[in-house]
Amino acid sequence: MKSSILITGGAGFIGANFVPYFLEKYKEYQLINLDKLTYAGDLANLSEIEENHSRYTFIEGDICDRVLIEELFNKYDIKGVIHFAAESHVDNSITGPEAFIQTNVNGTFTLIDVARKYWMNAPFEYKEEYKNCRFHHISTDEVYGTLGDTGLFTEETPYAPNSPYSASKASSDMIVRSYFHTYGMNVVTTNCSNNYGPKQHKEKLIPTIIRKALTSEPIPIYGDGKNIRDWLYVLDHCKGIDLVYHKGKEGETYNIGGRNERDNLYIVDKICTLLDVKQPLKGGKSYKELITFVKDRPGHDQRYAIDATKLETELGWKADEDFESGIVKTIDWYLEEYR
Ligand code: NAD
């Protein structure tokens, strides 16, 4: 019989890149994709999966709905969870933090607590047949707070979240950690840097730059544009998750990052330069003329950078794309999408 894995948030950016990759690679898995289809989820992101695929089921629902989650565990005999579902946009967490606490904190708690009860007999013991069932929690490097000009986040860096988004993710990481230490549950957590690539919601930085450029609108850049992020092509993140899900040590956390630190000015400049060649503006103008600096985001972290040594040395992960190759693929995808 095929093993059923519950994927949450599979209609969002990273989940919708992960699900087709995982479905294709592991023919022995049945994937159950649970997604609430908030503004950030879109089934069109999964249109490459054939209708009535025999190993794929989509369920519209909320990770906070305990009755539904219990039903899913019983109906599909869930043997693993890969948990992407979250409210994920920092700006939205500033204007409306409540949904972040609800989904990211309460939702993660509900999910892992149902998994514990389903997989374990008594509070501290696994049922024999569920010993290898794993709960993989997907998290962010934003839980570590901000860096100065030097240094990198390692798995030992103390948590210091600065936005309601990162605080809610930090809380969910701690809940997952506690289920390992208290109940001996087989959990792993991955903390990844900023992703980019196909299917990202239009509100995020790189899709915004491309979209505004192509519609000749001002391209907004926060503050002085000097904030630095460590950019990772989304499929490299998916491959890292795959490795950790299958080979990571239980109870451990793994940082995932591509060693591609770039500031926002570099990103916008690079995208405009590539677009100037791929889709030139009339009159020899450059898309760079559309760049507009706007008031900075409150509590805007200055710099994030990941040390992925643990994942690289223990599990042999390496990013296939650097920023220069990944951004070309990304722009080509959006040019096709917006055509
Ligand atoms: P996203 O916002 O694009 O997608 C989130 C998905 O979760 C959507 O499909 C949405 O409908 C679903 N969802 C939201 N609330 C839900 C709920 N209550 N119940 C069920 N489904 C719900 O996010 P993303 O960028 O794909 O991020 C996925 C995960 O990866 C998140 O946990 C995020 O914190 C983490 N992460 C993201 C990045 C990044 O750069 N995007 C980096 C590191 C970690």
Side-chain angles (χ1 to χ4, degrees), residues 54 65 87-88 161 220 226 233-234 253 255 281 294-295 318:
S54 61
D65 182 345
E87 287 292 339
S88 71
K226 297 274 177 60
Y233 191 64
V234 62
T253 66
N255 283 350
L281 280 169
V294 298
K295 191 168 178 290
K318 194 176 163 295

Side-chain angles (χ1 to χ4, degrees), residues 9 11-15 34-38 40-41 61-63 84-88 103 138-140 165 169 192-195 200 204:
F13 164 45
I14 303 172
L34 171 68
D35 196 300
K36 189 179 170 184
L37 297 182
T38 66
D62 192 329
I63 55 164
F84 293 93
E87 287 292 339
S88 71
T103 285
I138 310 298
S139 193
T140 166
Y165 164 64
K169 291 298 290 186
C192 188
S193 60
N194 273 41
N195 285 217
Q200 190 163 28
K204 300 284 168 64

Side-chain angles (χ1 to χ4, degrees), residues 14-29:
I14 303 172
N17 279 279
F18 182 79
V19 168
Y21 159 84
F22 213 59
L23 199 58
E24 178 58 29
K25 185 162 174 194
Y26 297 101
K27 306 278 194 275
E28 66 275 31
Y29 293 154

Side-chain angles (χ1 to χ4, degrees), residues 101-138:
I101 305 304
Q102 180 62 7
T103 285
N104 300 359
V105 183
N106 292 335
T108 301
F109 161 69
T110 304
L111 204 57
I112 198 167
D113 199 53
V114 172
R116 171 179 74 84
K117 288 193 172 140
Y118 188 77
W119 292 338
M120 302 170 97
N121 250 337
F124 303 102
E125 224 181 302
Y126 270 97
K127 290 182 200 164
E128 196 52 38
E129 64 168 308
Y130 295 119
K131 274 222 161 87
N132 295 322
C133 293
R134 167 157 279 187
F135 188 99
H136 185 148
H137 177 55
I138 310 298

